[in-house]
Amino acid sequence: MLDGIKKWIAFLLMTVLSPCALAAAPILSARIWPAEDYTRLTIESKAPIEHQMLIIEHPDRLVIDLEGVKLDENLKSLPSRVNADDPYIKSIRLGRFKPGVVRIVLDLKTRVSPQLFSLKPVASYGNRLVLDIYPEKDAMMSLLSEPFPEKQEKKPAKPEKEKIRPITIVVDAGHGGEDPGAHGRHSFEKNVTLSIAKKLARLIDDEQGMHAVLTRDGDYFIPLHGRVVKARSAKADLFVSIHADASPAGKPRVPRFSLFPKEAPPRLRQGGSRSAKTNPTSSAGWILP
């Protein structure tokens, strides 16, 4: 009789303390944002997720192990979220690797440079595990590593009429994709800025001798260095970044603006950003001569 009780106690302890029986972190959503320069995969959960990543070649794959999560419908939806025209992800497979661990395998179309990191909860978003998949060679590093062309002796050429280069203005719609920006009653900042950017680009293109270039023309996120690369590649004469601060309910909706010449000290430009966050209804930003 005593031996039977001991066996039952041992069985119950093994069941309660086993990784499978422990409360798994609920997955709130799983999504993929394909962009022009990279693809972002996000897993949102109520609690932080312990994780490990492996890069495997021949064939190229990314393996991500998630500890203490439930293989629910949100995770199972990941394979169906891969676009056929995604430049990096061919397909996604996932399953229970071992007790307490879910393994996600991304079959790749090419070699990549992945970045896996965690984001803390903000606004309506919970804890997020984010995988950014970039091409093997970063666009910024590629631009900086290009050798300067050697100077060559120019032969006298026949005089030609001087061609006037159009003024190129890069219009940058702030936020996008996984980064919604400020939240309005029925909108997100990322949608407002994109709408304004497209309208502004059309107005610029209608002007003789002017040409507009959009940093993004859809709902996807571009990191800061990616926006810089686009502007430099376009040989921009002017870079206009559009943002839309939120106004607390019942407060007057006061327009805000910030002007930063490229010679402005970084501390002042950072100060302007902090001011926008801490005082979103301020009527003036940093105005530098």
Side-chain angles (χ1 to χ4, degrees):
M1 181 69 178
L2 186 59
D3 290 340
I5 294 175
K6 288 180 179 179
K7 289 180 180 179
W8 272 107
I9 293 175
F11 172 76
L12 290 173
L13 286 174
M14 289 176 64
T15 302
V16 171
L17 297 178
S18 67
C20 294
L22 293 175
I27 301 298
L28 302 177
S29 68
R31 46 193 183 267
I32 298 176
W33 289 96
E36 183 179 347
D37 300 320
Y38 79 114
T39 294
R40 169 168 286 192
L41 183 152
T42 303
I43 298 173
E44 186 176 349
S45 58
K46 286 189 176 181
I49 300 174
E50 294 294 328
H51 57 274
Q52 292 182 343
M53 181 175 68
L54 298 172
I55 302 175
I56 304 175
E57 298 178 349
H58 311 300
D60 295 311
R61 286 159 291 162
L62 289 179
V63 176
I64 302 173
D65 287 339
L66 308 178
E67 299 180 15
V69 300
K70 182 181 179 182
L71 185 55
D72 60 8
E73 294 304 316
N74 285 320
L75 280 179
K76 291 179 180 178
S77 70
L78 276 175
S80 64
R81 297 181 183 276
V82 179
N83 291 342
D85 58 352
D86 190 295
Y88 310 113
I89 303 176
K90 182 189 300 181
S91 62
I92 293 180
R93 298 173 282 128
L94 70 167
R96 181 70 64 181
F97 175 56
K98 61 182 180 181
V101 177
V102 171
R103 169 161 287 187
I104 301 175
V105 179
L106 288 79
D107 297 305
L108 303 173
K109 296 178 179 179
T110 183
R111 297 180 68 177
V112 298
S113 176
Q115 296 180 12
L116 184 63
F117 55 93
S118 299
L119 293 175
K120 295 181 179 180
V122 60
S124 61
Y125 289 89
N127 291 275
R128 285 154 292 160
L129 181 63
V130 179
L131 171 67
D132 284 346
I133 304 175
Y134 292 93
E136 188 175 27
K137 195 169 186 180
D138 183 80
M140 173 64 86
M141 295 306 298
S142 178
L143 183 69
L144 295 177
S145 62
E146 289 181 1
F148 289 99
E150 296 180 1
K151 290 185 178 180
Q152 298 180 353
E153 293 184 4
K154 292 183 179 180
K155 296 181 179 179
K158 294 180 180 180
E160 296 180 358
K161 290 184 179 180
E162 184 180 356
K163 294 182 179 179
I164 301 176
R165 186 179 71 85
I167 296 173
T168 300
I169 300 176
V170 170
V171 183
D172 175 46
H175 306 280
E178 178 66 18
D179 177 15
H183 291 221
R185 184 175 297 175
H186 303 293
S187 62
F188 294 114
E189 182 178 0
K190 64 176 183 178
N191 299 327
V192 175
T193 59
L194 181 59
S195 177
I196 294 173
K198 288 182 175 180
K199 291 179 181 178
L200 177 58
R202 287 196 295 268
L203 291 173
I204 292 172
D205 286 335
D206 288 341
E207 293 291 328
Q208 187 175 359
M210 299 179 73
H211 172 58
V213 175
L214 290 168
T215 55
R216 67 179 181 96
D217 58 5
D219 186 18
Y220 50 85
F221 179 75
I222 300 178
L224 177 59
H225 76 269
R227 299 171 195 254
V228 173
V229 168
K230 282 178 176 285
R232 289 181 175 174
S233 299
K235 297 182 179 179
D237 299 290
L238 180 66
F239 184 94
V240 179
S241 186
I242 299 173
H243 289 264
D245 292 339
S247 177
K251 298 289 184 180
R253 302 176 184 273
V254 182
R256 172 185 179 79
F257 56 90
S258 303
L259 302 177
F260 302 112
K262 62 182 180 180
E263 296 84 3
R267 62 183 179 82
L268 292 183
R269 280 176 280 175
Q270 293 171 0
S273 299
R274 286 194 297 270
S275 175
K277 294 177 182 177
T278 56
N279 189 13
T281 56
S282 171
S283 61
W286 289 99
I287 305 176
L288 304 177

